Amino acid sequence: MQHTATLAAGDTLHPDALFDGVDLRRLAERIPTPFHAYSANAIRARIAGLQDALHGLDATLCYAIKANSNVAILQLMAEAGVGADIVSSGELWRALHAGIPAERIVFSGVGKTAGEIAEALAAGIQRFNLESADELDMLQTLAEELGTTARAAVRINPDVDAQTHAKISTGKAENKFGVSIDEARRWFAGSARFPNVRLDGLHVHIGSQILSVEPFRLALARVAAFWRELENAGHAIASIDVGGGLGVRYREGQAPIAPADYGQAIRDALAGFRGRILLEPGRYLVAEAGVLLTRVVRVKQGERRRFLVLDAAMNDLLRPSLYDAWHDIVALVGEPRPRHRYDVVGPVCETGDTFAVDRELPELRAGDLVLIRTTGAYGAAMASTYNSRPLAAEVLLDSGRHAIVRRRQSFEEMVAGEQPARDWETA
Ligand SMILES: *Cc1c(COP(=O)(O)O)cnc(C)c1O
């Protein structure tokens, strides 16, 4: 049976509207709020949409695990043949643990340590996306020690404005990511200096939450020109990794780039390329598949503003505090109610613990259920236990059924590893 995996637009949910076949109000009667819920079918639909758009190309999706690294989500990716883009050995461990094969794992990030590189080499990952000459030297040294050859791509900083929030823009010359084409050119020219690194890939990732295909076209054009130049100079390029960054709908009027348009941009830019194309979508695959369910603790009338205090907080969903990000908020109340303007806040002792300012919503009372939309990416993944609030539960929904994929952390789990200062030593 096919269940709708998307929620209708608007700030109320129709009484019998379901998310992946599950009645969220009934679910919230069984599972204490706050908790994250993810639609498996919404994720599968996003994967299939991208795979369709890339049909006929030698293309592999490497899901950027940092967006949502829950093991159940990773298993879903593995089942769909999706690989992983990792940025730490913790993510390497998660990916392998969830059944993603090493040959579908790529490793990005400016701060890979020697230990992390050695672990990834030992695991036999598909390739390293290198971000500095120092990292290239380190990879050569470690691969030589292990008696192996590492496959690597150079991450190009194409100096393109992704037209997104400054904190999630990564492809400008002043950002810490990647190297200039000039520097990459020197790497290829000097490749004899690192015999244990097979440098035969290009990588680019210009930022996140990109809603127009133009920045992608611009970045890909620069990478493609460089690929042609390298081929002409005798450097065979086996893979081009086009990164992630596809944006999603956080509010009315926003729409993701159609997969077909994105696929076309890749086909246009890389026409004639015979190697493998890698993609690293994160947010696009999971963001809209997730919602955060929370209840109203109380309504507080201040001097100037009316505060809707929820039982979820910035520790459960950091994006509004971190990036001033907008998330649609839906009141899960059946009957029509008068409307008011609220500042929607959490209980954490920070003014920044604010989900929305001056947001119009139906009148709400203590105990009412509220849903925050588009929280499947960079939601639970960025959670903390700040204010000693245990990590929230995560629930996977699939065609009318639900399964807890992370139980709510207990207080004991929250302090696991902490201990009184008993065993004093001197270094
Ligand atoms: C974060 C990241 C991604 C995923 O970005 P999204 O915007 O979530 O698609 C892909 N590649 C790299 C190198 C990243 O750092």
Side-chain angles (χ1 to χ4, degrees), residues 223-237:
V223 169
F226 187 43
W227 150 57
R228 294 196 173 91
E229 175 196 321
L230 289 168
E231 291 271 355
N232 289 335
H235 300 290
I237 297 302

Side-chain angles (χ1 to χ4, degrees), residues 5-140:
T6 49
L7 288 165
D11 59 6
T12 50
L13 195 65
H14 191 267
D16 45 49
L18 305 170
F19 194 33
D20 209 336
V22 175
D23 181 329
L24 294 176
R25 277 168 305 179
R26 296 229 334 248
L27 189 66
E29 281 159 21
R30 308 227 347 223
I31 302 169
T33 55
F35 64 90
H36 294 272
Y38 312 122
S39 157
N41 281 306
I43 296 171
R44 291 189 192 109
R46 283 286 162 101
I47 296 169
L50 270 186
Q51 285 173 338
D52 281 354
L54 301 164
H55 186 76
L57 298 174
D58 177 5
T60 304
L61 300 183
C62 293
Y63 166 60
I65 286 189
K66 69 178 192 278
N68 184 330
S69 48
N70 185 290
V71 168
I73 301 288
L74 300 186
Q75 274 168 353
L76 223 137
M77 299 292 170
E79 279 161 22
V82 174
D85 169 37
I86 60 165
V87 293
S88 69
S89 55
E91 288 191 348
L92 173 64
W93 188 89
R94 272 182 189 275
L96 295 171
H97 181 69
I100 296 177
E103 59 267 25
R104 287 208 203 107
I105 297 177
V106 298
F107 195 170
S108 305
V110 294
K112 302 178 195 82
T113 64
E116 288 178 317
I117 292 174
E119 279 173 42
L121 274 172
I125 65 162
Q126 139 120 218
R127 78 180 43 244
F128 293 82
N129 290 331
L130 301 178
E131 309 225 17
S132 65
D134 182 73
E135 195 191 335
L136 172 57
D137 289 342
M138 189 181 263
L139 183 59
Q140 164 59 31

Side-chain angles (χ1 to χ4, degrees), residues 64 66 85 108 155 203 205 208-209 244-246 280-283 378:
K66 69 178 192 278
D85 169 37
S108 305
R155 175 165 178 181
H203 174 235
H205 171 71
S208 202
Q209 184 54 13
L246 284 169
E280 301 170 344
R283 187 188 312 268
Y378 309 107

Side-chain angles (χ1 to χ4, degrees), residues 204-228:
V204 68
H205 171 71
I206 56 171
S208 202
Q209 184 54 13
I210 300 168
L211 292 170
S212 136
V213 81
E214 275 324 301
F216 287 118
R217 284 193 176 273
L218 217 59
L220 288 175
R222 291 193 185 160
V223 169
F226 187 43
W227 150 57
R228 294 196 173 91

